[in-house]
Amino acid sequence: MIILGIDPGYAIVGYGIIEFKNGKYTPMDYGVVLTNANDDFSNRLEIIFDRISEIVDIYKPDVISIEKLYFQNNHKTAIDVAQARGVTLLAIKKKNIPIFEYTPLQIKTSVTGYGRAQKNQVMMMTQRLLKLKSIPKPDDAADALAIAICHANSLGFQYINKFKK
């Protein structure tokens, strides 16, 4: 199964593609979609839509896993990220690919075994699980890979639970 993990944003959208087969993770690619702060916001949304569509066309993932939004304070940032996340979801939906959403707590727990893990702990475990020589950069790409791993681990739990019943 090919899984595309997405860390949503509007300045930087992280993406990470892994293959999950026979209980093993294989990294395929990772990176970021960047938008320019000086561009009109609607142009930035179009760039995100187009680039995510291209990534989906290139890698043909079986599923997409994306982080759910969580904001405490800055409502302006929350609204902008929500809009960018919306065009990301639309790009995926137009390709008819199943979408799975995970909270930061679910991602941290899945990757490290501890829901209050620090960002560097998640990044180090992502590196280890994918057998990468170094921690993926930028952080948004590492986060996207962790989101993909979270979905792969969720599949494993679903498989196990299926046979417990």
Side-chain angles (χ1 to χ4, degrees):
M1 169 176 283
I2 296 174
I3 305 167
L4 168 58
I6 297 178
D7 182 29
Y10 61 91
I12 303 173
V13 178
Y15 68 89
I17 301 113
I18 66 170
E19 182 176 24
F20 184 63
K21 188 175 182 181
N22 298 325
K24 295 184 182 185
Y25 318 99
T26 304
M28 296 177 67
D29 193 15
Y30 58 87
V32 293
V33 176
L34 299 173
T35 66
N36 188 324
N38 296 323
D39 284 352
D40 181 70
F41 193 72
S42 61
N43 290 344
R44 295 172 82 178
L45 294 176
E46 182 179 26
I47 289 166
I48 293 167
F49 180 90
D50 290 345
R51 187 66 181 114
I52 294 298
S53 295
E54 288 173 15
I55 292 165
V56 169
D57 287 343
I58 291 167
Y59 292 100
K60 300 182 181 7
D62 298 299
V63 297
I64 309 290
S65 56
I66 189 167
E67 186 175 21
K68 285 186 180 179
L69 289 185
Y70 173 76
F71 284 94
Q72 287 184 345
N73 298 325
N74 191 335
H75 296 292
K76 167 74 168 108
T77 299
I79 291 167
D80 288 348
V81 173
Q83 289 182 77
R85 188 175 182 277
V87 299
T88 299
L89 291 171
L90 178 61
I92 296 161
K93 186 68 179 162
K94 296 205 51 91
K95 306 286 183 178
N96 264 342
I97 300 172
I99 300 167
F100 296 85
E101 301 176 78
Y102 298 96
T103 65
L105 178 69
Q106 289 173 307
I107 296 162
K108 290 176 182 181
T109 301
S110 178
V111 174
T112 69
Y114 180 58
R116 295 186 186 265
Q118 298 296 314
K119 188 171 190 70
N120 66 330
Q121 293 172 304
V122 176
M123 292 169 65
M124 287 173 54
M125 279 305 296
T126 298
Q127 175 192 358
R128 276 193 197 145
L129 291 169
L130 296 176
K131 298 177 176 73
L132 298 169
K133 292 182 182 182
S134 60
I135 292 174
K137 294 291 180 194
D139 292 357
D140 308 84
D143 291 345
L145 286 168
I147 295 163
I149 290 169
C150 177
H151 184 71
N153 288 342
S154 173
L155 291 173
F157 291 129
Q158 290 172 17
Y159 180 78
I160 290 166
N161 289 335
K162 181 179 178 181
F163 291 101
K164 282 185 177 179
K165 294 179 180 176

